[in-house]
Amino acid sequence: ILWSITVALGGFLFGLDTAVISGAEQAIQKLWSLNDFWHGLAVAMALYGTVFGAALGGWPSDALGRKKTLFWIGILYLVSALGSALAQDVNTFMVFRFIGGLGVGASSVAAPLYISEISPAKSRGQLVAIFQFNIVLGILIAYVSNYALQGVGGEESWRWMLGIVALPSLAFII
């Protein structure tokens, strides 16, 4: 049960990483003078990564095992959070958001698989549901943290909003 709850943190990161962009998107549009096309592409880049991560997430889970795959997913979340927060141009920003999307997609495959494999049959559904609950909790916390970080660092508060994902990513890796 403890391992299932720990692995369900992948769902929290899923929701947090997906929704945290909502607090940063207007600032990055203004900072890099993005037209509608580039703004939309920059914001959606994580979702493109999610599609690839979900489509390909089973491969490392089978090749490396679920537990090692989850560790590397945590690394993807961490690298994405730090890289996105520190990006100096929109192209670098999009690369790091895509990397985070790979983590989101792969965790949507690997975490429920791992939870279902280690859970006792009688509580398997409830424990996998914790992953789903954590997705929604991550979305909520993204909005709350964006609100709390609004104005912190002035014009650069968007960097804090995106970088905050690094903290639970570290917890997921450890």
Side-chain angles (χ1 to χ4, degrees):
I1 291 174
L2 180 62
W3 273 108
S4 295
I5 292 168
T6 303
V7 172
L9 181 58
F12 178 79
L13 286 164
F14 178 132
L16 185 66
D17 190 72
T18 302
V20 78
I21 190 68
S22 66
E25 57 91 15
Q26 289 180 349
I28 64 167
Q29 182 181 26
K30 182 180 172 186
L31 174 68
W32 292 316
S33 302
L34 302 177
N35 63 27
D36 289 342
F37 173 80
W38 285 103
H39 179 231
L41 187 61
V43 171
M45 194 53 71
L47 298 176
Y48 297 131
T50 300
V51 170
F52 284 100
L56 304 173
W59 176 78
S61 291
D62 291 339
L64 303 173
R66 314 296 189 237
K67 197 171 182 179
K68 283 184 182 177
T69 300
L70 289 167
F71 171 81
W72 286 106
I73 288 169
I75 297 292
L76 290 175
Y77 281 125
L78 179 63
V79 167
S80 172
L82 296 175
S84 298
L86 298 172
Q88 297 300 310
D89 61 75
V90 70
N91 293 321
T92 304
F93 176 80
M94 289 192 296
V95 167
F96 283 110
R97 289 293 294 158
F98 184 84
I99 289 169
L102 291 174
V104 168
S107 71
S108 73
V109 174
L113 282 173
Y114 187 67
I115 293 169
S116 68
E117 289 173 351
I118 64 171
S119 301
K122 65 183 171 116
S123 58
R124 188 171 295 139
Q126 291 172 329
L127 294 174
V128 172
I130 294 171
F131 177 83
Q132 300 298 324
F133 172 80
N134 277 346
I135 293 172
V136 177
L137 181 62
I139 293 168
L140 173 65
I141 297 301
Y143 290 125
V144 169
S145 73
N146 283 348
Y147 179 78
L149 292 170
Q150 202 174 26
V152 172
E155 298 279 322
E156 302 290 305
S157 63
W158 68 271
R159 294 184 187 277
W160 289 100
M161 293 175 186
L162 294 169
I164 200 75
V165 179
L167 295 176
S169 300
L170 282 172
F172 190 65
I173 293 167
I174 297 170

